[in-house]
Amino acid sequence: EYSSGSSLVDLKTGKIIGGGTGFEQIVAVDAQGNTVYVLTPNGVLQLPTETKNTKLIINKNNEWGNVKTMILFGGNVYLLDTTKSRIWKYIATNSGFSELKEYLNPDTLPDLSKATGMTIDGSVWIGTSDGKIQRFSQGKENTFVYKGVDPPFGKELILFTSDETKNLYVLDSQNKQVVVLDKDGIYLAQYIWTGDIIPSQFVVAEKQGKILLLVAGKLYSIDLK
């Protein structure tokens, strides 16, 4: 049995809508408008979808430690560095991007060593490998407390939201679920699956009513209820 508001998802019969050679070698991918951005060990590549003119727009910086992921927001590039516990920011300019800057205020010194990923809706949200959710607003920590999650979150939380997304979505692979919270921390729904499938990343398109889960280089689509 499943609690009210939960849905059982059979990912084995889910529709595969993307994937292929090379997916496994990319650190992170994001898109804005008609342009795709790819984080690689050498820096950030720009791939306009209407042309084949791929170019390196941000070189790897000596300040970088282990850059876990990349998010585009407001035209700017944000990089989550779990070794340095920093969020690096590159500001869009008329000629490309600025030099390396820090998003976090100098007096904000969080431990980001356990961060599993990052998502941005104006605030920066981070899930951790010890089952926590961290939120930062205007460069400062803004404590987030959630309620009503059952079973309690496991480890390795990955989050998704955006400025166009009403809710916060939490991928909890240990408990084989995606949990939906409002941005005040109230539980709304959960999507549960069985089997050994372990998604590594996901994205939610609320307007289209879809959750997309990346599993071993393939994307599975499930419907929001």
Side-chain angles (χ1 to χ4, degrees), residues 68 114-117 127-132 153-159 170-175 177 198-200:
K68 183 81 172 181
K114 296 180 180 179
T116 54
T128 73
S129 60
D130 55 356
K132 297 179 181 177
F153 285 134
K155 299 180 179 180
E156 300 291 336
L157 301 186
I158 300 175
L159 311 181
V170 184
L171 173 60
D172 176 9
S173 291
Q174 181 177 340
N175 288 316
Q177 63 179 350
I198 303 176
S200 58

Side-chain angles (χ1 to χ4, degrees), residues 50-202:
E50 297 176 352
T51 70
K52 296 182 179 180
N53 298 324
T54 301
K55 62 180 180 179
L56 184 68
I57 56 167
I58 296 174
N59 288 299
K60 179 182 179 181
N61 192 290
N62 290 334
E63 290 289 325
W64 294 6
N66 177 31
V67 177
K68 183 81 172 181
T69 195
M70 169 191 66
I71 296 290
L72 269 290
F73 186 81
N76 304 320
V77 173
Y78 295 78
L79 304 176
L80 172 63
D81 189 333
T82 56
T83 300
K84 299 291 186 70
S85 283
R86 294 288 187 270
I87 298 171
W88 306 118
K89 181 178 180 181
Y90 290 85
I91 299 172
T93 68
N94 291 332
S95 58
F97 288 89
S98 69
E99 295 298 314
L100 180 85
K101 298 182 182 297
E102 291 201 40
Y103 164 75
L104 295 172
N105 290 357
D107 59 348
T108 300
L109 298 173
D111 178 8
L112 303 181
S113 63
K114 296 180 180 179
T116 54
M118 171 176 66
T119 190
I120 301 177
D121 64 355
S123 294
V124 174
W125 303 77
I126 291 174
T128 73
S129 60
D130 55 356
K132 297 179 181 177
I133 296 174
Q134 297 173 284
R135 177 177 59 186
F136 301 90
S137 302
Q138 297 180 330
K140 296 182 179 181
E141 189 153 14
N142 181 7
T143 302
F144 179 74
V145 179
Y146 57 83
K147 301 175 182 177
V149 177
D150 185 22
F153 285 134
K155 299 180 179 180
E156 300 291 336
L157 301 186
I158 300 175
L159 311 181
F160 179 83
T161 192
S162 73
D163 56 340
E164 296 180 350
T165 304
K166 181 179 178 182
N167 299 313
L168 176 69
Y169 294 81
V170 184
L171 173 60
D172 176 9
S173 291
Q174 181 177 340
N175 288 316
K176 300 179 181 180
Q177 63 179 350
V178 173
V179 173
V180 187
L181 303 171
D182 73 15
K183 293 181 182 180
D184 292 322
I186 304 302
Y187 167 88
L188 298 176
Q190 65 196 132
Y191 297 81
I192 303 168
W193 65 88
T194 59
D196 297 327
I197 291 173
I198 303 176
S200 58
Q201 294 291 333
F202 79 128

